[in-house]
């Protein structure tokens, strides 16, 4: 008999289950040729005694090896290592074919879209004014338990296959209830399509609603990726100024009287990037104009959950009774950016069409995550997390705004936002943002250069300064470094 006690190596205090360590050890020995083919293995009881583990551990290890094809179990005869290894070496196309490096470029022309910026690796490990939530605040333990709970139930198996394109019905029902309670809607699951983030929602809407040459009204300035999603579809953008009360609705009315407008894209709660809230009066008039001129309102409510007033304005869709508003949102900021769960809220006929087209991009979403999020909602984890997060972000907003006012009030002009996770900061012309951003980066501080927000011929010299990412100590360090760098000129 082979010396299995020395052949099989495992550690009981390792994160990898012992049965997997045992199986992997046998596989490694077979690959190296130290355990040959057709070797009879000790029975489960005997192997358990040799390795000093529970018999169930050996049973699971043998089941794992059998499932992968490394051993063969023969009733009444015993368990043997496979005569042929379950791994094969692929054959090259020709005998003379030699290994070579993968091509560095294509052998054909690739259309380059210089209008959209090239993706760069995020530098979220570096302190800075990042635009987004603090990952240290997310309910990771609760999410982990919910995900594990889903996978521990036998009912999850049907969700490991193909499911409804619009999303798991129960999740859409739970999400509908959440939106109805928090945003004053009156939806059912049939009014919701689950997407991979709000950007996918916007892309699908562009495919379904727009044709080349259509005109869409957007703010000046506006969300960069919304602009370029529309432009990629051949849509013409009509830019309208945004002031302290939101987008200029009177200017929209004049525009509609002169030409046919297909749609309006708006971030009504906190306009992106300037953070201003669209006033109630303008919301009412905007809905009236949509009905009168027949244009669609795409309302992107990317950060509705983050508001610091006692009574935030409800979204436009809550007052829409003519089916003119399409509402999109995301849980990526509510829970975490890695949770790519967005949604579209619209009348059922549009949801049906969006579901049809969605199959060309992705036939379904992430049903297991949707089931985990159901538990997060039903057990109150989302609600508790949001209460704690909003309190934390509210304090961070006040703290960093105080620091900026005390240290750089002559350089940075900003209004304290009613909600969201960022400040819209206008820098004095004597401190151009692009070179300032480059000076800060080697010092370990990230500040957007603001160029992504420039939509007009004039250079804004303004940017979004995220405050949610940093605690008070980090914010103090960041503002101190920013101040020293600016003052050292």
């Amino acid at each position: 008999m082979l010396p299995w006690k020395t052949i099989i190596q495992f550690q009981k205090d390792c994160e990898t289950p012992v049965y997997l360590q045992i199986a992997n050890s046998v596989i490694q020995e077979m690959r190296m040729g130290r355990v040959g083919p057709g070797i009879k293995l000790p029975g489960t009881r005997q192997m358990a005694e040799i390795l000093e583990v529970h018999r169930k551990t050996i049973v699971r290890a043998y089941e794992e090896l059998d499932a992968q094809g490394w051993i063969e179990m023969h009733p009444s005869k015993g368990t043997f290592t496979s005569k042929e290894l379950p791994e094969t070496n692929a054959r090259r196309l020709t005998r003379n074919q030699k290994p070579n490096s993968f091509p560095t470029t294509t052998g054909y022309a690739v259309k380059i879209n210089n209008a959209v910026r090239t993706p760069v690796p995020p530098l979220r490990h570096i302190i800075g004014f990042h635009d987004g939530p603090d990952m240290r605040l997310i309910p990771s333990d609760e999410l982990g338990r919910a995900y594990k709970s889903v996978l521990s139930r036998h009912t999850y198996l049907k969700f490991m296959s193909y499911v409804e394109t619009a999303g798991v019905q129960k999740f859409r029902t739970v999400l509908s209830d959440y939106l109805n309670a928090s945003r004053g809607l009156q939806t059912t699951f049939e009014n919701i399509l689950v997407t991979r983030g709000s950007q996918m929602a916007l892309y699908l809407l562009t495919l379904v609603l727009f044709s080349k040459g259509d005109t869409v009204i957007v703010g000046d300035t506006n969300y960069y990726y919304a602009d370029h999603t529309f432009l990629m579809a051949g849509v013409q953008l009509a830019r309208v100024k945004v002031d302290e009360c939101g987008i200029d609705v009177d200017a929209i009315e004049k525009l509609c009287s002169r030409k046919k407008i297909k749609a309006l894209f708006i971030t009504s709660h906190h306009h992106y990037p300037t953070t201003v809230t669209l006033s109630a009066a303008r919301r009412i008039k905007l809905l009236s104009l949509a009905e009168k001129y027949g244009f669609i309102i795409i309302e992107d409510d990317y950060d509705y959950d983050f508001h610091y007033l006692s009574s935030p304005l409800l979204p436009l869709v809550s007052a829409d009774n003519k089916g003119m508003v399409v509402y999109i949102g995301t849980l990526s900021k509510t829970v975490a950016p890695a949770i790519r769960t967005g949604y579209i809220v619209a009348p059922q006929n549009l949801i049906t069409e969006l579901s049809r087209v969605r199959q060309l991009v992705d036939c379904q979403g992430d049903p297991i995550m949707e089931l985990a999020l159901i538990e997060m909602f039903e057990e109150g984890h989302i609600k508790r997390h949001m209460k704690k997060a909003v309190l934390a972000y509210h304090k961070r907003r006040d703290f960093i705004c105080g620091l900026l006012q005390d240290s750089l009030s002559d350089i940075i002009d900003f209004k304290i936002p009613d909600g969201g996770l960022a400040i819209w900061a206008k820098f004095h012309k004597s401190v151009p943002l692009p070179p300032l951003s480059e000076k800060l980066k080697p010092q370990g501080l990230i500040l957007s250069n603001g160029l992504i927000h420039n939509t007009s011929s004039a250079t804004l010299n303004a940017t979004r300064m995220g405050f949610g990412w940093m605690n008070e100590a980090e914010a103090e360090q960041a503002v101190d470094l920013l101040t020293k760098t600016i003052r050292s000129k």
Side-chain angles (χ1 to χ4, degrees):
M1 180 183 291
L2 292 173
W4 296 108
K5 179 85 172 171
T6 56
I7 289 175
I8 297 177
Q9 301 294 317
F10 63 90
Q11 295 177 337
K12 290 187 177 181
D13 58 351
C14 180
E15 290 186 1
T16 304
V18 171
Y19 83 92
L20 274 181
Q21 292 185 61
I22 292 172
N24 291 337
S25 185
V26 173
I27 291 170
Q28 181 66 19
E29 294 300 312
M30 292 180 66
R31 282 175 173 158
M32 299 296 291
R34 290 191 285 261
V35 174
I39 299 293
K40 186 173 183 178
L41 299 174
T44 55
R45 292 184 189 279
Q46 185 180 3
M47 183 67 90
E49 291 175 0
I50 293 171
L51 300 180
E52 299 178 358
V53 297
H54 198 283
R55 178 173 173 260
K56 287 184 178 179
T57 300
I58 301 301
V59 170
R60 293 194 67 184
Y62 280 15
E63 288 175 345
E64 180 70 23
L65 289 165
D66 181 48
Q68 293 190 40
W70 292 97
I71 63 173
E72 299 172 357
M73 295 179 174
H74 300 288
S76 73
K77 290 184 178 181
T79 301
F80 301 81
T81 58
S82 297
K83 294 180 180 179
E84 293 184 6
L85 297 183
E87 297 176 337
T88 58
N89 294 320
R91 291 181 294 127
R92 296 192 176 277
L93 296 178
T94 65
R95 288 184 180 179
N96 298 326
Q97 185 182 359
K98 297 179 180 179
N100 56 5
S101 59
F102 198 80
T104 56
T105 59
T106 59
Y108 45 85
V110 175
K111 182 180 179 181
I112 298 174
N113 189 335
N114 288 317
V116 183
R117 65 175 186 169
T118 302
V120 294
L123 298 172
R124 298 284 169 150
H125 61 287
I126 300 176
I127 189 173
F129 300 95
H130 299 291
D131 199 347
D134 187 347
M135 296 303 93
R136 293 167 293 188
L137 299 181
I138 68 171
S140 54
D141 291 340
E142 292 85 351
L143 180 60
R145 284 194 292 269
Y147 207 90
K148 184 177 180 180
S149 174
V150 169
L151 292 176
S152 67
R153 296 194 300 266
H154 292 298
T155 52
Y156 84 92
L157 289 173
K158 68 178 181 180
F159 296 101
M160 293 295 281
S161 184
Y162 293 103
V163 298
E164 300 150 282
T165 300
V168 175
Q169 182 175 320
K170 186 176 180 182
F171 176 63
R172 287 186 287 146
T173 299
V174 169
L175 185 57
S176 171
D177 292 342
Y178 168 70
L179 295 174
N180 292 347
S182 62
R183 290 153 171 79
L185 309 189
Q186 295 180 348
T187 62
T188 69
F189 74 91
E190 294 176 315
N191 299 120
I192 294 178
L193 170 70
V194 181
T195 60
R196 291 187 184 271
S198 58
Q199 188 60 40
M200 180 182 184
L202 193 58
Y203 182 73
L204 290 175
L205 287 169
T206 301
L207 288 178
V208 171
L209 297 178
F210 302 147
S211 300
K212 187 175 182 180
D214 285 342
T215 299
V216 175
I217 295 175
V218 297
D220 187 9
T221 180
N222 190 48
Y223 177 45
Y224 176 89
Y225 292 105
D227 286 352
H228 287 277
T229 300
F230 299 146
L231 291 170
M232 282 282 288
V235 170
Q236 297 178 2
L237 301 183
R239 298 198 182 277
V240 172
K241 292 294 182 182
V242 177
D243 58 28
E244 66 276 4
C245 294
I247 198 164
D248 188 340
V249 179
D250 290 336
I252 291 173
E253 184 174 20
K254 292 178 181 177
L255 198 56
C256 289
S257 66
R258 297 198 308 268
K259 64 183 301 184
K260 175 65 178 175
I261 300 298
K262 180 68 176 184
L264 161 76
F265 173 80
I266 190 167
T267 47
S268 58
H269 191 51
H270 306 122
H271 174 258
Y272 195 96
T274 67
T275 77
V276 297
T277 299
L278 185 66
S279 68
R282 290 191 181 185
R283 292 175 190 234
I284 294 170
K285 184 170 182 179
L286 195 54
L287 285 170
S288 176
L289 291 176
E291 293 177 20
K292 179 179 179 180
Y293 292 102
F295 61 79
I296 307 158
I297 298 175
I298 299 176
E299 184 177 20
D300 183 354
D301 217 357
Y302 66 100
D303 69 350
Y304 178 85
D305 289 317
F306 299 107
H307 50 75
Y308 312 123
L309 298 176
S310 57
S311 54
L313 289 172
L314 290 174
L316 287 159
V317 69
S318 67
D320 174 35
N321 54 22
K322 299 293 185 181
M324 303 305 296
V325 181
V326 181
Y327 186 75
I328 64 177
T330 180
L331 297 180
S332 296
K333 288 182 175 59
T334 304
V335 183
I339 308 301
R340 306 308 303 158
T341 305
Y343 51 85
I344 301 174
V345 178
Q348 190 177 346
N349 65 311
L350 178 56
I351 295 297
T352 299
E353 187 59 29
L354 289 166
S355 298
R356 182 180 289 120
V357 173
R358 188 244 170 88
Q359 297 173 100
L360 303 177
V361 180
D362 186 7
C363 63
Q364 66 180 48
D366 184 349
I368 302 301
M369 178 57 73
E370 291 173 27
L371 294 176
L373 288 171
I374 289 172
E375 293 204 7
M376 294 283 286
F377 274 112
E378 291 184 337
E379 294 180 10
H381 296 313
I382 298 286
K383 188 175 182 180
R384 285 191 293 274
H385 163 63
M386 285 311 305
K387 282 187 175 181
K388 291 187 289 185
V390 168
L391 284 173
Y393 293 137
H394 193 169
K395 290 179 180 178
R396 292 181 183 189
R397 180 203 68 170
D398 293 346
F399 184 75
I400 203 166
C401 285
L403 291 176
L404 291 172
Q405 286 173 337
D406 291 342
S407 304
L408 292 166
S409 59
D410 60 324
I411 299 295
I412 303 175
D413 180 30
F414 66 92
K415 178 184 177 184
I416 299 176
D418 294 334
L421 299 173
I423 300 161
W424 179 242
K426 299 176 183 177
F427 282 66
H428 191 273
K429 62 182 180 180
S430 63
V431 184
L433 272 168
L436 174 62
S437 177
E438 290 304 310
K439 283 183 181 179
L440 291 170
K441 198 178 298 182
Q443 301 179 67
L445 182 64
I446 298 299
L447 174 69
S448 170
N449 61 21
L451 295 179
I452 197 172
H453 305 306
N454 287 341
T455 55
S456 60
S457 56
T459 301
L460 291 172
N461 205 41
T463 192
R464 282 173 66 91
M465 297 178 68
F467 56 80
W469 191 266
M470 299 179 286
N471 59 33
E472 290 189 0
E474 292 164 342
E476 197 163 19
Q477 179 185 349
V479 173
D480 182 61
L481 183 55
L482 175 65
T483 303
K484 288 178 179 177
T485 304
I486 291 175
R487 301 297 187 197
S488 65
K489 288 185 61 179

